[in-house]
Amino acid sequence: MMAHILIIDDEPTINMILQEVLRDEGHEVSSAPNGKMGLEVMRQNPPDLVICDLRMPDLSGRAVVETMRTEPVLQPIPVIITTGAVYDTDEFPPAELYQATFSKPFDLIEIIDKVQELVEARTR
Amino acid sequence: MKQFSLRNRLYVLILIVLIPLLFLQLFAIISRYDRALHSEIDASLDFAEAVNVTFKNYLRDLWNTEYSIALALTAGEGFNSPEQIERYMKGIARMYPAVEGFIWLDRQYIVLASTISSIKRGDNLANQRYLKQIFYGEDQVVSDLVTEDTESFLPVGRALRDNNDQLVGIIVAILEPSRMDEIVPISRNDERSAFGFIDRKGMIVYHSLLHDLPIEKKKMWNGSPATPAFHGIVNVSAKYYSPITEDYRMGAYIPMSSLGWVTFVTSNRHDVLGQVILATIRDMVILVIVAILSLCVALRVGNKFLKPIRVLQQTAQAISQGELEARTLIQGSDELAVTGQIFDEMAERIQQLEISRTRFLQTAAHELRNPMAGIKGLLSLVRRRMAQGKPLGDITQMLEVMDREIDRLSNLLNQIIEAFRTQRDRTQLSLILKKVNLIDVVFVTLKPFQLTVHQCNFIRDIDTSSDIWVAGDSVRLEEVIRNLLSNAVKYSPNGGNITIRLTTDDGNAILVVKDQGIGIPQEQVGRIFDCFYRASNLERRDPGGMGLGLYICKEIIEGHDGTIWAESEEGVGSSFYIKLPLYKNREEI
């Protein structure tokens, strides 16, 4: 099943890898290097799913998710969080605001499966 | 339980101080009481001696008078009838107020003349005990008290003997005890004080207070304080009950040795000691009240003293159990309060250190995981494409990316190791100090920045006409300056000025790196040199920093006996200062 996925990550390598692997799966992928631009992109063209890093300059992943949940158009979009954080820190948004989390370094297959699962659940 | 033992020790300390004082006071009160007692008894003894002497003098005088009478009577001049003798004797008796009358006896103890109504001429007095003493050779005798019905009297006899020591006659004076006040005309101060004489049979001959004692009450009771005095021993008693006067008394009993009598001088105990006892009770009550009061005050002060210690203990315990935010919050300026305040500062540092450490760990983990995630991700991507038989993509670019990520990992690890190394032991910084020209060091460091960084203007404010020599490790000093410059570049806006000023002042070289960057919040300026500390406004702009750069700078500068500090205003810019002693001031190198 094809879907439009937005990747927000300030790490160019990770951003690039996620784009490549999801395109391989046949998804339409857009990307943003930080939270501010991520929000701009999704407001112009709301995606079916967002993959978002937590620790980013200008606007953190937590702020991005919290902002999304206040905007009616962005509110229903599922979010996968990727993070290098070790502990449950206050960098995380409240658990009910996002659907899944992956700790770096993550397994690409697991992310692909999760994306698939969330996309199917959304179109059903 | 432990905190009570300190309190107990304090209480013991208080008691150790208080108890001797209490005992001293108690001793003083008791001695005052004792002194009053003893002075009264001493006075009684003196008085008794005086009474003794006075009474003996009186007797001697009376005996002399009797002898004169006897001589006159036996001379036979004008005494033709007993009536004449009796008239003569009555005349003399009037001169002795205590004497009721005289009796004149012949050698057979037959009364020849008498001025006493109860004794008639012709009476035989041979069975009188005191006259038997004359028979046995004594000349001067005093009878024990003689009682007849309700009357009592005291005969005092004097024998007259011829040249052959043969008894010629006896003259006897009859003293009336109730009139003996005249003999000892002394009175005592206290209303119920008394003195008197007790005869050999234990009968009270004279009692200065009770003239009309009934005969049955004149007998001294068994075990009275007079008893030892009959055996020649001076006896004093501080307290005894007298059935005669029916009160508690104190006083002295002394022997009147020649007669075998006892002289007593006694007082009502309450009259003498009443005031003293009252004063003693009052002193005791005051003492007890003062003792309780001072104990209460001491305990209050002690508790006040213990409170900060207990707070300190509880706070230390809380911190040791992981409650890093616990503080004593002790106010004041005494040693304990200051200890509490220093403790709070220490706790604050520990808490900050813990926060820094946690933040460092998170940052380090985050920074390490990003390159790892990149490498692992690229590998999985390639493997997946291979498995699915898809084109692999630009392998050269992927390998370059992996290579870069591994360099990043290695750089991060070096930084972490360096940080821990400098933190562990400053001396391990292994500086190689040589005479270096600081101007050269600054120029060498500045050059690459001027060549590569174009968005900032570098302004040099350095007088190159004379060298500035310091004892330094040029490689390390370059590292410090490079760090300050790259910070200035990193946080400056495009087109911002970065000023580098190098001057000397009072034996020191001073280097200033001034930027027009984002600045540092005022309250954080003092802490930016701490290990792993990062100013809060940097987090967004440069999330990758570990808070190590300035810490390492500080370690290096302090290793040069120099100082480094910063002045900053948020949104306006920051100035970093380095002060290093000039070479000539470091003779030891």
Side-chain angles (χ1 to χ4, degrees), chain A residues 11-29:
Chain A
E11 277 292 319
T13 311
I14 291 166
N15 204 321
M16 182 264 281
I17 294 164
L18 286 172
Q19 286 181 48
E20 297 270 320
V21 80
L22 290 172
R23 281 203 188 101
D24 283 359
E25 291 303 307
H27 296 296
E28 181 195 343
V29 184

Side-chain angles (χ1 to χ4, degrees), chain B residues 380-410:
Chain B
S380 334
L381 181 67
V382 172
R383 265 173 39 200
R384 193 173 164 79
R385 282 179 176 168
M386 284 169 79
Q388 291 174 345
K390 289 181 182 171
L392 297 181
D394 188 345
I395 292 295
T396 315
Q397 196 212 339
M398 286 185 190
L399 287 176
E400 270 172 20
V401 169
M402 280 197 261
D403 192 44
R404 208 169 54 232
E405 297 293 357
I406 287 169
D407 282 351
R408 243 175 96 193
L409 273 178
S410 131

Side-chain angles (χ1 to χ4, degrees), chain B residues 33 55 92 97 136 180 191 193 195 239 245 281 287 310 350 361 396 407 413 425 432 442 454 456 465 481 527 549:
Chain B
Y33 176 80
F55 186 59
I92 292 172
Y136 290 120
M180 276 169 66
E191 203 181 322
S193 290
F195 63 90
K239 187 181 185 184
T245 45
I281 289 171
L287 187 64
R310 217 169 296 145
I350 291 173
L361 255 176
T396 315
D407 282 351
L413 282 172
D425 191 348
I432 301 156
V442 171
H454 303 294
C456 293
S465 60
I481 297 164
R527 301 197 47 218

Side-chain angles (χ1 to χ4, degrees), chain B residues 99-141:
Chain B
V99 174
E100 200 190 341
F102 290 100
I103 307 164
W104 173 234
L105 305 168
D106 67 9
R107 71 176 72 175
Q108 304 301 322
Y109 307 104
I110 306 293
V111 176
L112 298 178
S114 167
T115 66
I116 308 291
S117 53
S118 57
I119 296 167
K120 303 282 182 284
R121 280 174 236 155
D123 285 356
N124 188 342
L125 300 183
N127 57 347
Q128 292 291 326
R129 203 183 143 87
Y130 65 98
L131 292 177
K132 279 180 186 153
Q133 286 174 268
I134 290 177
F135 176 76
Y136 290 120
E138 282 184 43
D139 286 343
Q140 302 173 338
V141 296

Side-chain angles (χ1 to χ4, degrees), chain B residues 205-479:
Chain B
V205 177
Y206 172 73
H207 195 295
S208 66
L209 267 187
L210 307 165
H211 289 165
D212 302 316
L213 261 182
I215 287 159
E216 65 275 10
K217 284 197 82 175
K218 286 192 174 185
K219 179 79 185 159
M220 288 303 280
W221 66 100
N222 265 346
S224 81
T227 315
F230 283 113
H231 299 101
I233 298 162
V234 171
N235 188 32
V236 294
S237 174
K239 187 181 185 184
Y240 66 90
Y241 181 77
S242 163
I244 294 168
T245 45
E246 294 174 345
D247 58 0
Y248 280 98
R249 303 187 73 78
M250 54 183 292
Y253 288 80
I254 67 168
M256 201 195 290
S257 49
S258 56
L259 300 185
W261 286 15
V262 168
T263 304
F264 65 86
V265 174
T266 64
S267 299
N268 178 283
R269 203 177 138 81
H270 184 77
D271 287 351
V272 175
L273 294 178
Q275 292 304 316
V276 179
I277 289 171
L278 270 183
T280 305
I281 289 171
R282 188 196 60 210
D283 288 354
M284 291 290 227
V285 168
I286 290 172
L287 187 64
V288 167
I289 291 171
V290 167
I292 290 170
L293 276 181
S294 36
L295 203 64
C296 287
V297 170
L299 293 187
R300 250 185 98 84
V301 171
N303 275 333
K304 217 172 164 184
F305 175 75
L306 282 177
K307 202 183 158 206
I309 296 180
R310 217 169 296 145
V311 170
L312 209 57
Q313 183 198 9
Q314 284 160 0
T315 312
Q317 207 162 3
I319 288 176
S320 75
Q321 285 165 1
E323 288 176 47
L324 293 183
E325 65 282 1
R327 299 288 183 272
T328 66
L329 300 176
I330 298 171
Q331 305 287 320
S333 55
D334 61 32
E335 289 87 337
L336 277 172
V338 170
T339 306
Q341 286 148 17
I342 292 172
F343 183 90
D344 281 355
E345 279 169 31
M346 187 187 74
E348 179 68 27
R349 287 196 79 85
I350 291 173
Q351 193 185 8
Q352 290 303 335
L353 210 64
E354 182 61 24
I355 291 170
S356 301
R357 205 176 61 91
T358 310
R359 190 190 302 203
F360 169 78
L361 255 176
Q362 283 169 2
T363 308
H366 192 265
E367 295 305 309
L368 290 172
R369 276 160 190 247
N370 270 330
M372 271 159 60
I375 296 162
K376 187 178 162 80
L378 279 168
L379 288 174
S380 334
L381 181 67
V382 172
R383 265 173 39 200
R384 193 173 164 79
R385 282 179 176 168
M386 284 169 79
Q388 291 174 345
K390 289 181 182 171
L392 297 181
D394 188 345
I395 292 295
T396 315
Q397 196 212 339
M398 286 185 190
L399 287 176
E400 270 172 20
V401 169
M402 280 197 261
D403 192 44
R404 208 169 54 232
E405 297 293 357
I406 287 169
D407 282 351
R408 243 175 96 193
L409 273 178
S410 131
N411 267 339
L412 281 166
L413 282 172
N414 283 344
Q415 266 197 63
I416 293 170
I417 290 163
E418 175 80 341
F420 276 105
R421 206 182 54 159
T422 48
Q423 191 183 31
R424 195 177 64 233
D425 191 348
R426 196 173 286 178
T427 58
Q428 286 189 356
L429 212 56
S430 59
L431 295 170
I432 301 156
L433 298 184
K434 285 179 184 155
K435 185 178 175 182
V436 291
N437 185 355
L438 203 55
I439 294 175
D440 293 342
V441 177
V442 171
F443 273 67
V444 166
T445 320
L446 195 52
K447 202 161 191 176
F449 279 91
Q450 285 175 313
L451 290 176
T452 56
V453 179
H454 303 294
Q455 75 266 33
C456 293
N457 307 315
F458 291 94
I459 301 167
R460 286 181 305 172
D461 181 3
I462 301 171
D463 177 11
T464 52
S465 60
S466 61
D467 297 338
I468 296 176
W469 296 102
V470 297
D473 184 326
S474 54
V475 176
R476 292 304 203 147
L477 288 178
E478 278 171 32
E479 189 182 335

